[in-house]
Amino acid sequence: GAGDQARIVALLDMRLAAVSGADRVAVLQEIAGIRLELGENDAAIEALDEAYALSDGDLRIAEQLLDAYSSAGRHADAEPILRRIIEQLRKSRRFKELIPYTFRAGVLAEEQGDEDAALQYYRECFEADASYVPNLVRLGKLYFRREEWAQALRIFQTVLLHQMKLDKAGRVDVYYHLARVRLALGETRKAKDMFKRALSLD
């Protein structure tokens, strides 16, 4: 239970006091893991922050730190970490691994109200992988909100090719957006067809 975990953290704190430099990294990660389980986000972030600084930019730790910042709603703190990860991966030309991070950068930009930056990240992600469904859906909806109907149509039709990767609610959502796009383009018959498909699921 929580009592045991608190004892473990106390022991780990003692061990941490006895080690220095890079040896601290693994202990800090352990502490962060338990702190997260206990719901002590700030303490976990503090430990991960130090671990990341000592680890010379270890991607796994960066990702843990990113997750911790995101779940704490600290988007402004998450952003520089995310940028550093993206830079690191670009520099080492690991483009496949870049995809989810580029997507996350888009989501982060969108959450902070910067649609232009979000669009740039989503587009970059789309060019790298046109079948990454989470990105397709966000990109389609962003075009939809901007009333860029032709673009929205192209993206949502691409989503349809990969719709088996979506759950039922996700598919209904895509059909509904496609119907609205078709209506905006004056294609009433095709819009009706999409509404029907949405209704047959829900």
Side-chain angles (χ1 to χ4, degrees):
D4 295 338
Q5 287 179 312
R7 272 200 296 280
I8 295 169
V9 169
L11 288 171
L12 287 169
D13 279 334
M14 278 160 61
R15 194 191 320 162
L16 191 61
V19 292
S20 62
D23 294 335
R24 292 172 69 82
V25 174
V27 186
L28 285 162
Q29 276 184 283
E30 259 184 89
I31 290 172
I34 295 171
R35 294 272 193 214
L36 282 173
E37 277 173 37
L38 291 170
E40 299 170 3
N41 252 11
D42 289 344
I45 285 171
E46 210 176 298
L48 286 170
D49 233 348
E50 189 188 338
Y52 185 50
L54 289 169
S55 73
D56 197 29
D58 181 311
L59 269 181
R60 275 198 318 275
I61 300 173
E63 188 159 309
Q64 289 172 317
L65 187 53
L66 194 57
D67 287 338
Y69 276 140
S70 296
S71 57
R74 291 169 60 176
H75 301 311
D77 290 317
E79 200 178 7
I81 304 270
L82 193 49
R83 262 210 218 105
R84 210 177 317 164
I85 294 174
I86 289 172
E87 245 163 68
Q88 225 174 316
L89 289 171
R90 273 187 191 142
K91 217 179 280 174
S92 47
R93 310 188 64 76
R94 288 150 69 183
F95 297 119
K96 259 282 170 268
E97 288 170 63
L98 247 177
I99 293 160
Y101 293 109
T102 315
F103 170 65
R104 276 181 86 152
V107 173
L108 202 60
E110 204 176 338
E111 278 168 359
Q112 292 181 306
D114 190 345
E115 279 194 357
D116 293 338
L119 194 57
Q120 215 173 325
Y121 281 122
Y122 292 151
R123 274 189 185 139
E124 188 184 327
C125 188
F126 177 69
E127 275 157 29
D129 182 0
S131 68
Y132 187 58
V133 171
N135 185 67
L136 287 170
V137 172
R138 295 292 291 231
L139 179 57
K141 285 183 177 177
L142 189 51
Y143 279 135
F144 179 87
R145 275 209 307 284
R146 292 163 78 101
E147 299 187 2
E148 296 179 29
W149 305 122
Q151 301 283 25
L153 179 65
R154 185 172 70 101
I155 298 297
F156 279 124
Q157 282 185 305
T158 310
V159 179
L160 281 188
L161 302 175
H162 307 284
Q163 61 173 307
M164 293 335 288
K165 294 179 191 168
L166 290 167
D167 60 9
K168 192 168 90 167
R171 289 210 293 280
V172 169
D173 195 37
V174 170
Y175 291 146
Y176 169 76
H177 277 86
L178 262 171
R180 295 272 310 271
V181 170
R182 293 289 192 190
L183 271 183
L185 290 168
E187 301 173 357
T188 324
R189 196 178 52 76
K190 284 179 174 166
K192 251 189 207 151
D193 182 46
M194 281 299 147
F195 278 128
K196 271 188 196 139
R197 285 171 80 171
L199 287 168
S200 73
L201 278 177
D202 187 2

